[in-house]
Amino acid sequence: MTRPAGVLWDMDGTLLDSEKLWDVAVRELARAHGHEMTDEIRHALIGASGPNALRIMFTGLGIEPTPAALQAAGEFLERRVTELMTGPIPWRPGAVEALAMIRAAGVPTALVTNTKRSLTELALNTLGRSNFAVTVCGDEVPHGKPEPDVYLRAAELLGADPRDCVAVEDSVTGSAAAAAAGCAVLVVPCEIAVPAAPGLIFRESLVGLSMADLAAVCAAAEREPAARP
């Protein structure tokens, strides 16, 4: 394979510098429960689906995860992040140019995010809906990342084999999901470091990304068949 059949983009922390908005919301939520969010717990939330993130947060802070408390916390986060995402959201460096380059090359793209659909629609006002052939959100599949469901669904909608696609991710959770789906994985860390692992190719930023770079990611994945389903 000389070029990917599709490029599957994570959103928060990969295309958009939106993890900082989530940071505001989850720290406010912790304070509302009488706690200060530690960096360790905050880092564990990055890339997690909404339900998983709340469980991680409640457990880490010692808050009883009753159904009512979890529901209220989820509603708080959605309201607060909606407020924070109402205006333009900052892009990650090189993301605008990378999307344009891939579109110009005629390679199908998908947005693949753990963020729920209602919030993703707000982010798409910044991202541009025309940049993606399909979009898949964490609340549209049985299990969010780190399970592979969102990536498998995105590849299915593109009519592509996930093993012929490149996923672009910034987090440990997202990289694990993409690798479990069989994708070649390009990791561009944002808020936290991602440990090296078989099948993961790293890049400091999206600045200067080319089709040759994506082909190299595909080739590297093909050389490591044991790391892929």
Side-chain angles (χ1 to χ4, degrees), residues 110-196:
L111 187 67
V112 187
T113 177
N114 257 351
T115 298
K116 64 189 302 183
R117 171 59 65 179
S118 58
L119 296 175
T120 299
E121 285 298 319
L122 294 174
L124 282 166
N125 292 333
T126 294
L127 287 166
R129 288 165 179 79
S130 62
N131 279 320
F132 308 99
V134 301
T135 60
V136 181
C137 301
D139 58 343
E140 297 171 339
V141 294
H143 304 286
K145 305 173 189 178
E147 298 303 316
D149 302 31
V150 283
Y151 278 106
L152 294 173
R153 179 59 176 157
E156 179 186 22
L157 290 173
L158 289 180
D161 188 324
R163 293 171 295 181
D164 294 335
C165 297
V166 172
V168 189
E169 274 284 355
D170 72 299
S171 70
V172 176
T173 301
S175 299
C183 302
V185 188
L186 176 62
V187 184
V188 185
C190 179
E191 299 290 334
I192 57 173
V194 176

